[in-house]
Amino acid sequence: MKRAAMHKLTAWKEDPRRLPLIIRGARQVGKTWLMKEFGKLFFEKYAYISFDRNKRMEQLFSGDFNVDRILTGLSIESGVEIAPENTLIILDEIQEVPSALQSLKYFCEDERHSYYIIAAGSLLGIAMHQGTSFPVGKADSMNLYPLSFSEFLDATGNASLLKLLRQQDYTMMTAFKDKYIDLLKTYYFVGGMPAAVKAFAESGNLKNVRRIQKMLLSDYEQDFSKHAPTATVPRIRMVWDGIPSQLAKENKKFIYSVLRKGARAKDFELAIQWLTDCGLCHKVGRISKGGIPLKAYQDIPAFKLYLADVGLFAAMTDLDAKTLLMGNAIFTEFKGALTEQYICQQLYAELDTIPYYWSAEASSGEVDFVLQYQGQVVPLEVKAEENLNAKSLKSFVDTYRLPYGVRTSMSDYREQEKLINLPLYAISLLWEVCDRFSG
């Protein structure tokens, strides 16, 4: 299985000014595999140490932060003699020993060597909010998400279709659109969790995929009880279980009273923070105006909540394969939520951007996602089928005098005045489209 993040890791390795690197991401998105594979492919050797329930490492990092002393301990623990010039040091689940995270500062400041150190943790975001000291300015960070649609194409033996996408030959892509659309619907079901993609790639058995997804959902729910503050656990479960119904609404803004009658923001803020910190959810904020920088116009109390993975979203709602893949009429209303969930996932994983959304104060007008790219505002309207109506998008473009807006749907690529239609299966090309129209 190839991960696009490997390119980021190789660039980090070649950077003479590199800092220790911290990889953040939800459980089971492939952090451990990626780090080990990176070590195998690009280093003479790697020293892997897991801090999960590791008393020896707690002891090692409870002393002083003498780099030589720590390296000796890591060599003994991993069984690998660490040589700074050719050994990748992998510190997994580092949040379990907060002082180990602090030690990265001392590795960074050691003037004798430039160490190759990668740390990772599935609950790192939570650890940060609980007061764990982050080595600010002494470490870089990278987020790892479930597989994007592009990575899914490659993992399932469709490298030729991926190559065609990257060539941006829209005429050829249109000729094979039925293949892209079938694979996209399959991705809606399978999603991007590595275990689910691997099961599908090896057997094509969607029942196996769903069994793995249900197991992952169960594991996450057990994590709530294991790692979250006891008083917050019931509310985390309520938010988690309520995400599908929140997104199924016509107005997808998160409404607390949907969870519990009379509920207010202060009742659920910690629960939502916990889910976003551990990488299970994406919180997409509302903006009141299409201006740069978008963050300056964020309406903090208003937001939408999406899951990290479209396949887990389908599993939570028990959407069966036949309904999803055959386009059953019963599924029509919910398809919009699923398509938005898919796009949100690609914006983070594929396009490495933080999305917002816009809604009008005094009308029903709304733009599903608003992005900031190269100093420009890029509004993005999402349509589940071939519906090319985009009244709110046109209004937003005109109101804020933007050069163009983008609509993504099952329709073919086309340009109409200041609107561009980009096929859903080609959302990875969004920045290339923006570059062409900006130039």
Side-chain angles (χ1 to χ4, degrees), residues 388-401:
L388 295 183
N389 181 29
K391 197 166 140 185
S392 294
L393 180 62
K394 290 172 186 170
S395 173
F396 188 87
V397 169
D398 290 341
T399 300
Y400 297 108
R401 299 178 182 178

PDB file of all heavy atoms in Angstrom, residues 388-401:
ATOM      1  N   LEU A 388     -26.782  20.630 -11.601  1.00  0.00           N
ATOM      2  CA  LEU A 388     -25.852  21.735 -11.820  1.00  0.00           C
ATOM      3  C   LEU A 388     -26.384  23.073 -11.302  1.00  0.00           C
ATOM      4  O   LEU A 388     -25.800  24.118 -11.546  1.00  0.00           O
ATOM      5  CB  LEU A 388     -25.518  21.854 -13.322  1.00  0.00           C
ATOM      6  CG  LEU A 388     -24.759  20.650 -13.900  1.00  0.00           C
ATOM      7  CD1 LEU A 388     -24.419  20.892 -15.349  1.00  0.00           C
ATOM      8  CD2 LEU A 388     -23.500  20.359 -13.112  1.00  0.00           C
ATOM      9  N   ASN A 389     -27.481  23.027 -10.575  1.00  0.00           N
ATOM     10  CA  ASN A 389     -28.007  24.248  -9.977  1.00  0.00           C
ATOM     11  C   ASN A 389     -27.057  24.718  -8.880  1.00  0.00           C
ATOM     12  O   ASN A 389     -26.636  23.930  -8.038  1.00  0.00           O
ATOM     13  CB  ASN A 389     -29.390  23.973  -9.378  1.00  0.00           C
ATOM     14  CG  ASN A 389     -29.987  25.217  -8.770  1.00  0.00           C
ATOM     15  OD1 ASN A 389     -29.710  26.325  -9.200  1.00  0.00           O
ATOM     16  ND2 ASN A 389     -30.784  25.026  -7.727  1.00  0.00           N
ATOM     17  N   ALA A 390     -26.675  25.976  -8.889  1.00  0.00           N
ATOM     18  CA  ALA A 390     -25.727  26.487  -7.890  1.00  0.00           C
ATOM     19  C   ALA A 390     -26.035  27.945  -7.574  1.00  0.00           C
ATOM     20  O   ALA A 390     -25.186  28.825  -7.672  1.00  0.00           O
ATOM     21  CB  ALA A 390     -24.306  26.328  -8.398  1.00  0.00           C
ATOM     22  N   LYS A 391     -27.283  28.197  -7.185  1.00  0.00           N
ATOM     23  CA  LYS A 391     -27.735  29.563  -6.941  1.00  0.00           C
ATOM     24  C   LYS A 391     -26.917  30.254  -5.843  1.00  0.00           C
ATOM     25  O   LYS A 391     -26.482  31.387  -5.989  1.00  0.00           O
ATOM     26  CB  LYS A 391     -29.210  29.502  -6.523  1.00  0.00           C
ATOM     27  CG  LYS A 391     -29.937  30.827  -6.627  1.00  0.00           C
ATOM     28  CD  LYS A 391     -31.428  30.584  -6.535  1.00  0.00           C
ATOM     29  CE  LYS A 391     -32.059  31.668  -5.693  1.00  0.00           C
ATOM     30  NZ  LYS A 391     -33.486  31.398  -5.471  1.00  0.00           N
ATOM     31  N   SER A 392     -26.706  29.555  -4.724  1.00  0.00           N
ATOM     32  CA  SER A 392     -25.956  30.157  -3.614  1.00  0.00           C
ATOM     33  C   SER A 392     -24.507  30.419  -4.007  1.00  0.00           C
ATOM     34  O   SER A 392     -23.917  31.434  -3.627  1.00  0.00           O
ATOM     35  CB  SER A 392     -25.991  29.233  -2.389  1.00  0.00           C
ATOM     36  OG  SER A 392     -27.297  29.122  -1.882  1.00  0.00           O
ATOM     37  N   LEU A 393     -23.927  29.495  -4.779  1.00  0.00           N
ATOM     38  CA  LEU A 393     -22.544  29.649  -5.217  1.00  0.00           C
ATOM     39  C   LEU A 393     -22.392  30.880  -6.108  1.00  0.00           C
ATOM     40  O   LEU A 393     -21.478  31.694  -5.924  1.00  0.00           O
ATOM     41  CB  LEU A 393     -22.098  28.391  -5.965  1.00  0.00           C
ATOM     42  CG  LEU A 393     -20.666  28.375  -6.500  1.00  0.00           C
ATOM     43  CD1 LEU A 393     -19.654  28.486  -5.377  1.00  0.00           C
ATOM     44  CD2 LEU A 393     -20.406  27.096  -7.315  1.00  0.00           C
ATOM     45  N   LYS A 394     -23.319  31.033  -7.058  1.00  0.00           N
ATOM     46  CA  LYS A 394     -23.272  32.203  -7.951  1.00  0.00           C
ATOM     47  C   LYS A 394     -23.411  33.504  -7.153  1.00  0.00           C
ATOM     48  O   LYS A 394     -22.705  34.475  -7.397  1.00  0.00           O
ATOM     49  CB  LYS A 394     -24.396  32.113  -8.988  1.00  0.00           C
ATOM     50  CG  LYS A 394     -24.196  31.007 -10.016  1.00  0.00           C
ATOM     51  CD  LYS A 394     -25.434  30.851 -10.891  1.00  0.00           C
ATOM     52  CE  LYS A 394     -25.299  29.655 -11.826  1.00  0.00           C
ATOM     53  NZ  LYS A 394     -26.557  29.341 -12.520  1.00  0.00           N
ATOM     54  N   SER A 395     -24.336  33.494  -6.196  1.00  0.00           N
ATOM     55  CA  SER A 395     -24.559  34.677  -5.370  1.00  0.00           C
ATOM     56  C   SER A 395     -23.313  35.024  -4.567  1.00  0.00           C
ATOM     57  O   SER A 395     -22.921  36.189  -4.457  1.00  0.00           O
ATOM     58  CB  SER A 395     -25.744  34.426  -4.428  1.00  0.00           C
ATOM     59  OG  SER A 395     -25.885  35.483  -3.523  1.00  0.00           O
ATOM     60  N   PHE A 396     -22.650  34.008  -4.006  1.00  0.00           N
ATOM     61  CA  PHE A 396     -21.439  34.221  -3.211  1.00  0.00           C
ATOM     62  C   PHE A 396     -20.323  34.804  -4.077  1.00  0.00           C
ATOM     63  O   PHE A 396     -19.631  35.744  -3.681  1.00  0.00           O
ATOM     64  CB  PHE A 396     -21.006  32.885  -2.598  1.00  0.00           C
ATOM     65  CG  PHE A 396     -19.879  32.994  -1.612  1.00  0.00           C
ATOM     66  CD1 PHE A 396     -20.128  33.265  -0.275  1.00  0.00           C
ATOM     67  CD2 PHE A 396     -18.564  32.809  -2.015  1.00  0.00           C
ATOM     68  CE1 PHE A 396     -19.082  33.352   0.644  1.00  0.00           C
ATOM     69  CE2 PHE A 396     -17.515  32.899  -1.120  1.00  0.00           C
ATOM     70  CZ  PHE A 396     -17.774  33.169   0.220  1.00  0.00           C
ATOM     71  N   VAL A 397     -20.150  34.240  -5.280  1.00  0.00           N
ATOM     72  CA  VAL A 397     -19.118  34.727  -6.208  1.00  0.00           C
ATOM     73  C   VAL A 397     -19.371  36.187  -6.571  1.00  0.00           C
ATOM     74  O   VAL A 397     -18.441  37.009  -6.570  1.00  0.00           O
ATOM     75  CB  VAL A 397     -19.073  33.837  -7.477  1.00  0.00           C
ATOM     76  CG1 VAL A 397     -18.216  34.484  -8.566  1.00  0.00           C
ATOM     77  CG2 VAL A 397     -18.538  32.454  -7.143  1.00  0.00           C
ATOM     78  N   ASP A 398     -20.615  36.512  -6.864  1.00  0.00           N
ATOM     79  CA  ASP A 398     -20.951  37.889  -7.247  1.00  0.00           C
ATOM     80  C   ASP A 398     -20.806  38.860  -6.071  1.00  0.00           C
ATOM     81  O   ASP A 398     -20.252  39.954  -6.221  1.00  0.00           O
ATOM     82  CB  ASP A 398     -22.392  37.945  -7.782  1.00  0.00           C
ATOM     83  CG  ASP A 398     -22.533  37.250  -9.130  1.00  0.00           C
ATOM     84  OD1 ASP A 398     -21.500  37.059  -9.802  1.00  0.00           O
ATOM     85  OD2 ASP A 398     -23.670  36.872  -9.493  1.00  0.00           O
ATOM     86  N   THR A 399     -21.299  38.459  -4.915  1.00  0.00           N
ATOM     87  CA  THR A 399     -21.278  39.334  -3.738  1.00  0.00           C
ATOM     88  C   THR A 399     -19.854  39.720  -3.357  1.00  0.00           C
ATOM     89  O   THR A 399     -19.581  40.889  -3.044  1.00  0.00           O
ATOM     90  CB  THR A 399     -21.960  38.650  -2.533  1.00  0.00           C
ATOM     91  OG1 THR A 399     -23.309  38.355  -2.876  1.00  0.00           O
ATOM     92  CG2 THR A 399     -21.923  39.538  -1.302  1.00  0.00           C
ATOM     93  N   TYR A 400     -18.934  38.762  -3.392  1.00  0.00           N
ATOM     94  CA  TYR A 400     -17.564  39.034  -2.955  1.00  0.00           C
ATOM     95  C   TYR A 400     -16.600  39.222  -4.119  1.00  0.00           C
ATOM     96  O   TYR A 400     -15.389  39.211  -3.942  1.00  0.00           O
ATOM     97  CB  TYR A 400     -17.097  37.918  -2.005  1.00  0.00           C
ATOM     98  CG  TYR A 400     -17.950  37.881  -0.758  1.00  0.00           C
ATOM     99  CD1 TYR A 400     -18.866  36.855  -0.540  1.00  0.00           C
ATOM    100  CD2 TYR A 400     -17.891  38.923   0.173  1.00  0.00           C
ATOM    101  CE1 TYR A 400     -19.681  36.842   0.585  1.00  0.00           C
ATOM    102  CE2 TYR A 400     -18.707  38.920   1.288  1.00  0.00           C
ATOM    103  CZ  TYR A 400     -19.598  37.885   1.494  1.00  0.00           C
ATOM    104  OH  TYR A 400     -20.410  37.891   2.611  1.00  0.00           O
ATOM    105  N   ARG A 401     -17.185  39.391  -5.325  1.00  0.00           N
ATOM    106  CA  ARG A 401     -16.411  39.711  -6.527  1.00  0.00           C
ATOM    107  C   ARG A 401     -15.224  38.765  -6.718  1.00  0.00           C
ATOM    108  O   ARG A 401     -14.084  39.171  -6.935  1.00  0.00           O
ATOM    109  CB  ARG A 401     -15.927  41.156  -6.471  1.00  0.00           C
ATOM    110  CG  ARG A 401     -17.077  42.151  -6.409  1.00  0.00           C
ATOM    111  CD  ARG A 401     -16.604  43.564  -6.309  1.00  0.00           C
ATOM    112  NE  ARG A 401     -17.716  44.492  -6.200  1.00  0.00           N
ATOM    113  CZ  ARG A 401     -17.571  45.807  -6.063  1.00  0.00           C
ATOM    114  NH1 ARG A 401     -16.353  46.341  -6.032  1.00  0.00           N
ATOM    115  NH2 ARG A 401     -18.639  46.589  -5.967  1.00  0.00           N
TER     116      ARG A 401
END
